[in-house]
Amino acid sequence: MSASAWRVRDARCPIPTLANGSPREAGYTPPVAKPDCVYFFGTCLVDLLYPRVGLAAMRLLRREGLRVIFPQAQTCCGQPAYNSGYRREARQVARRQLDVFPAEIPLVVPSASCAGMLRVQYPRLFADTPDAGRATALAGRVYELTDFLARVVDFRPRDRGRPLRVVLHNSCSARRELGVAGAATELLGRLANVQTVEPGHAHDCCGFGGTFAVKQPEISAAMASDKADAVAAAAAPLLVGQDCGCLMNLGCTFAHRGDGPVVKHIAELLWERTQDE
């Protein structure tokens, strides 16, 4: 369906304009005025292993007055194939996302890794192909969830939870590929009763790295163990992050060790602590 056809069918969701009037560029998504509706990209890990994360994220967006559109035809972003060097196969998967998110509204993603694929890598993946324009247009309206909540929605909830100390793990994609690591820190700082600490070696990778963990399991496990040691040393009962891949890797590491904090996606924490009684 074309973007124009979609707009005719749902006039409640007008196209948002850029707050500063600057053009969209691949690799950076300028802030927009708060829209009436957004697309939501579920990601494979959320869909298959952490559905509660997706539900919490969509509930947060809806409570902020946004209509959330979840196209049922969406699939994987194509990152596993892309990172493994299978460009043709990655384009086959990625092209589906170009088809199912046609309207010019923000696309919110509860994973910096998948958001990085959509925002940064799609223009490269489709360069010099007939879909290059569509890929660049999609990339220009992709937001990682915490970045969207902090910059566009200006999410300022009332913290209804008891005092809590949490340790925050920002993923490599959030830090390096998207540059949005500060958004998670900022959102946690808006919870009046939450004290947030960073672990030692905060900039180090947790060892997951998608297919890297499969191809180099010994190295991946050693990196995860080092990261788990640093997280445990922060002495917080809860580990929070914005990527389910990292949280799965660290959570399983702690499970094998039989120690460590509870592991939770930031969307779950924000929803749980800000629900009306």
Side-chain angles (χ1 to χ4, degrees), residues 4 20 37 77 84 115 163 266 276:
S4 59
N20 59 6
C37 60
C77 66
S84 297
I266 189 171
D276 292 333

Side-chain angles (χ1 to χ4, degrees), residues 159 161-166 193-196 236-238 240 269 273:
D159 188 356
R162 296 180 178 180
L164 176 67
R165 177 182 171 93
V166 305
N193 296 324
V194 171
Q195 177 191 6
T196 305
L238 181 65
V240 176
L269 180 68
R273 294 189 67 88

Side-chain angles (χ1 to χ4, degrees), residues 30-274:
V32 295
K34 182 179 175 181
D36 293 316
C37 60
V38 297
Y39 282 129
F40 189 82
F41 184 71
T43 83
C44 296
L45 286 180
V46 169
D47 181 42
L48 298 174
L49 298 174
Y50 299 98
R52 62 184 183 275
V53 171
L55 293 173
M58 288 189 283
R59 286 166 179 158
L60 286 169
L61 294 169
R62 288 178 182 133
R63 195 175 61 192
E64 293 299 311
L66 301 173
R67 179 168 179 261
V68 180
I69 302 171
F70 187 97
Q72 293 296 316
Q74 63 179 280
T75 63
C76 175
C77 66
Q79 185 173 183
Y82 181 71
N83 288 347
S84 297
Y86 295 97
R87 297 296 192 266
R88 179 176 63 84
E89 291 81 359
R91 277 191 290 271
Q92 289 177 336
V93 176
R95 192 170 288 113
R96 169 61 65 89
Q97 314 328 308
L98 301 183
D99 293 337
V100 301
F101 298 110
E104 296 179 14
I105 58 176
L107 172 57
V108 181
V109 188
S111 162
S113 176
C114 297
M117 179 65 184
L118 292 160
R119 186 196 296 183
V120 180
Q121 304 304 331
Y122 268 29
R124 299 172 181 173
L125 178 62
F126 287 103
D128 301 320
T129 74
D131 291 307
R134 289 204 299 159
T136 299
L138 178 65
R141 50 190 173 85
V142 170
Y143 288 86
E144 184 271 333
L145 175 67
T146 63
D147 185 41
F148 186 80
L149 289 174
R151 287 202 300 158
V152 177
V153 175
D154 194 23
F155 182 70
R156 295 186 180 277
R158 177 183 176 186
D159 188 356
R160 299 178 182 276
R162 296 180 178 180
L164 176 67
R165 177 182 171 93
V166 305
V167 56
L168 172 64
H169 169 71
N170 273 302
S171 68
C172 294
S173 294
R175 286 187 183 279
R176 300 178 178 90
E177 188 170 37
L178 294 178
V180 299
T185 304
E186 184 174 347
L187 289 176
L188 292 175
R190 295 177 186 179
L191 295 173
N193 296 324
V194 171
Q195 177 191 6
T196 305
V197 295
E198 273 199 334
H201 306 286
H203 290 261
D204 291 354
C205 176
C206 74
F208 179 59
T211 55
F212 169 77
V214 177
K215 294 179 178 179
Q216 302 289 344
E218 294 84 4
I219 298 175
S220 174
M223 294 170 68
S225 180
D226 288 346
K227 176 64 72 171
D229 288 342
V231 169
L238 181 65
L239 168 64
V240 176
Q242 75 278 84
D243 270 82
C244 286
C246 302
L247 297 177
M248 177 179 65
N249 198 37
L250 292 172
C252 289
T253 299
F254 283 123
H256 281 293
R257 289 167 42 152
D259 64 0
V262 174
V263 175
K264 188 169 292 188
H265 192 280
I266 189 171
E268 294 180 273
L269 180 68
L270 292 172
W271 175 252
E272 291 170 2
R273 294 189 67 88
T274 60

